[in-house]
Amino acid sequence: MSDWPVGISTGCFYQQSFFDIIEPVRNGGFTMIEVCSSSPHLDYHDNEGIREATAVMEKLGMEPYSFHAPFAEEIDITHPGKEEREYALNELLTAANAAATMNVRYFVTHPGPEKELDPGPEERVQRMRNAAAVIDHVARHCRKLGIGLVVENMLPHLFFGNMRDMLWIVGAIQNINIGTCLDTGHAAISGDIYRIIYKLSGHLRMIHANDNDHHSDQHVPPGEGKTHWRRLLSEINQTRFRGSLILELAGDTGKPVDEVLAGARKSRNYLRAIGKELELSSPPTVETAR
């Protein structure tokens, strides 16, 4: 299957209330979404608000496919300090509870903080071990909640921002419900967008689809940057990927909601057209009964 479903992240409206944009998103043609955890958008600490958001999506006939865990400089699961790590862990667990209330399929998390780190060799190894231990804890919690945990590849200037470290942390986590989320923009900037697909193929559960100039994290709609999407989707198709693509577009452009959604629909049609072409050019084979 190469004609993958395409949804959208509400992160492109992270500065606006979830309740103000969710119906326009549905009316704009998107029923499958990833829910953004930005506090101005939707406070994952507010249980009543999360239940209300869940009820609104159900009423609108929408599917919350995934929930993006909070990420910030202070949410540092690699931190040498126990108190700092426990704070980060508790934030992730709280967000996972919100994701479970929404009955999402995947809880998406970053393996490191949103800040540059340049530790020495010993501290680096310890930070990696710290991250693995915290993610393992969150993975166990997610399994109890009935949702999957996926780890997203980072930008190259951030901790865990290279393929080697991503492979290490996936292997270091003991829980079997761990998967990966490929951020195409991050991988393009890292310069290993095609290699990482095959390296992570056994764990790949979903894709954050966005484009850029391969230098800065612009999060423009696929088709508007320099990524060769037909090649990329063809490579993904070779791995027998069965997940979904979530458009993760920039949320600070100042564009009206309708304009953002129009660009997203154009991008979705572009991706679906490539997927359809791939599907028709390599139809499934029929196995004869033995």
Side-chain angles (χ1 to χ4, degrees), residues 10-17 36 38-42 249-252:
T10 65
C12 54
F13 308 113
Y14 76 94
Q15 296 172 324
Q16 303 174 61
S17 169
C36 169
S38 168
S39 292
H41 182 68
L42 185 66
L249 309 181
D252 54 0

Side-chain angles (χ1 to χ4, degrees), residues 4-10 25 29-34 63 65-66 207-209 244-249 264-265 267-268 271-272:
W4 305 282
V6 180
I8 191 170
S9 167
T10 65
V25 167
F30 289 91
T31 58
M32 184 176 72
I33 63 170
E34 175 171 285
E63 177 191 358
Y65 183 79
S66 51
I207 293 171
H208 279 165
S244 296
L245 279 62
I246 297 292
L247 295 171
E248 193 182 51
L249 309 181
R265 287 195 302 274
S267 184
R268 178 179 61 185
L271 295 174
R272 294 300 299 273

Side-chain angles (χ1 to χ4, degrees), residues 61-79:
M62 303 182 73
E63 177 191 358
Y65 183 79
S66 51
F67 187 102
H68 203 306
F71 53 92
E73 286 191 15
E74 64 272 15
I75 300 180
D76 185 357
I77 64 175
T78 76
H79 202 285

Side-chain angles (χ1 to χ4, degrees), residues 117-138:
L117 295 171
D118 188 24
E122 290 186 8
E123 182 183 340
R124 178 178 181 80
V125 171
Q126 188 56 57
R127 280 182 174 271
M128 292 176 70
R129 289 173 177 166
N130 291 344
V134 171
I135 292 177
D136 209 33
H137 188 139
V138 178

Side-chain angles (χ1 to χ4, degrees), residues 106-123:
Y106 295 119
F107 182 59
V108 186
T109 188
H110 290 179
E114 294 299 302
K115 60 183 176 184
E116 292 189 53
L117 295 171
D118 188 24
E122 290 186 8
E123 182 183 340

Side-chain angles (χ1 to χ4, degrees), residues 75-241:
I75 300 180
D76 185 357
I77 64 175
T78 76
H79 202 285
K82 182 179 179 181
E83 183 176 340
E84 289 83 356
R85 289 200 310 277
E86 287 184 349
Y87 168 78
L89 171 61
N90 288 332
E91 289 299 294
L92 294 183
L93 294 178
T94 301
N97 290 338
T101 297
M102 291 184 170
N103 197 31
V104 303
R105 183 171 299 193
Y106 295 119
F107 182 59
V108 186
T109 188
H110 290 179
E114 294 299 302
K115 60 183 176 184
E116 292 189 53
L117 295 171
D118 188 24
E122 290 186 8
E123 182 183 340
R124 178 178 181 80
V125 171
Q126 188 56 57
R127 280 182 174 271
M128 292 176 70
R129 289 173 177 166
N130 291 344
V134 171
I135 292 177
D136 209 33
H137 188 139
V138 178
R140 289 196 301 271
H141 188 65
C142 285
R143 190 172 187 181
K144 292 177 182 177
L145 294 172
I147 58 179
L149 175 69
V150 294
V151 180
E152 179 180 342
N153 58 306
M154 303 283 279
L155 284 164
H157 68 282
L158 299 175
F159 210 65
F160 286 107
N162 61 67
M163 182 174 63
R164 180 186 66 252
D165 289 349
M166 274 292 293
L167 291 172
W168 181 90
I169 198 164
V170 170
I173 297 169
Q174 297 180 8
N175 280 271
I176 61 173
N177 64 321
I178 184 73
T180 58
C181 170
L182 170 67
D183 186 301
T184 59
H186 295 174
I189 296 171
S190 297
D192 55 11
I193 188 168
Y194 303 111
R195 290 187 300 124
I196 198 172
I197 291 170
Y198 289 102
K199 294 290 186 179
L200 298 178
S201 62
H203 304 278
L204 189 59
R205 300 292 181 265
M206 59 178 290
I207 293 171
H208 279 165
N210 61 90
D211 214 336
N212 56 49
D213 60 5
H214 292 192
H215 297 290
S216 58
D217 196 27
Q218 298 162 314
H219 281 267
V220 298
E224 294 186 12
K226 291 189 175 181
T227 299
H228 192 314
W229 285 92
R230 196 190 187 290
R231 177 185 173 187
L232 176 60
L233 294 184
S234 180
E235 299 277 1
I236 291 172
N237 191 41
Q238 294 300 316
T239 69
R240 300 184 181 276
F241 172 66

